[in-house]
Structures are given as structure tokens and as C-alpha cells.
Amino acid sequence: MAYVSARDAVSAVWIADLAGDEQRLPLDVDAIWNRPAWAADGRSLLLTHYRDGRATIARHWLDSGRTELLDPDGRAASAACAMVATPCAV
């Protein structure tokens, strides 16, 4: 399971296994991360990344800890936000 939690007043993305073991993902603390979703390969997460008033889509690989912005100009994230009931803007 992947989720966002604001423990200790800091919003972060966490993953948990069936045994209840949790791990905080090492993501950029100057950005806001939201909407984690497992990629089809089960080895990475797709997330919405907010920074400087812009939303982009990112992929985080669990094995290497590498994060890549897939939508640097924010166009796909803006289109995705327009299709959901809850707003993406922060």
C-alpha cells in the first residue's frame, strides 16, 4: 500500500506491506507529493509532484530510490487534474 501522511507535521509518501512494516520514501522535501499509485510493474510508484505552484507527474523506483519527472512542463498533470473530482491545486 502507498499513501500520504502528515506525521510530525511533514507531508510524506509512505509504503507499507501486509505485515505492517512502513517505509518513508526519500523524496524531495521541498516539494509536495500526492496521489501515489503503483505502476503496473509493481516496482515503482507514479505520483503527482507540486513545486513552485506547478503540478507534474513523477515516477519513483523503489529499488534504486531514483525519482524522475515524467511531465516536466506540467501539461499531462494539468489534464489529469481536470478529470478528477477533487482538485489537484494546493
Side-chain angles (χ1 to χ4, degrees), residues 22-39:
E22 298 175 303
Q23 175 186 355
R24 182 178 173 171
L25 297 184
L27 299 170
D28 177 4
V29 296
D30 292 327
I32 296 171
W33 300 90
N34 206 343
R35 302 175 188 266
W38 288 99

Side-chain angles (χ1 to χ4, degrees), residues 37-44 46 59:
W38 288 99
D41 64 10
R43 300 180 342 205
S44 59
L46 299 170
R59 185 175 195 161

Side-chain angles (χ1 to χ4, degrees), residues 32 34-35 48-56 77-90:
I32 296 171
N34 206 343
R35 302 175 188 266
T48 306
H49 166 268
Y50 299 96
R51 187 174 186 142
D52 300 327
R54 294 183 60 195
T56 60
S78 295
C81 288
M83 293 188 289
V84 296
T86 54
C88 295
V90 290

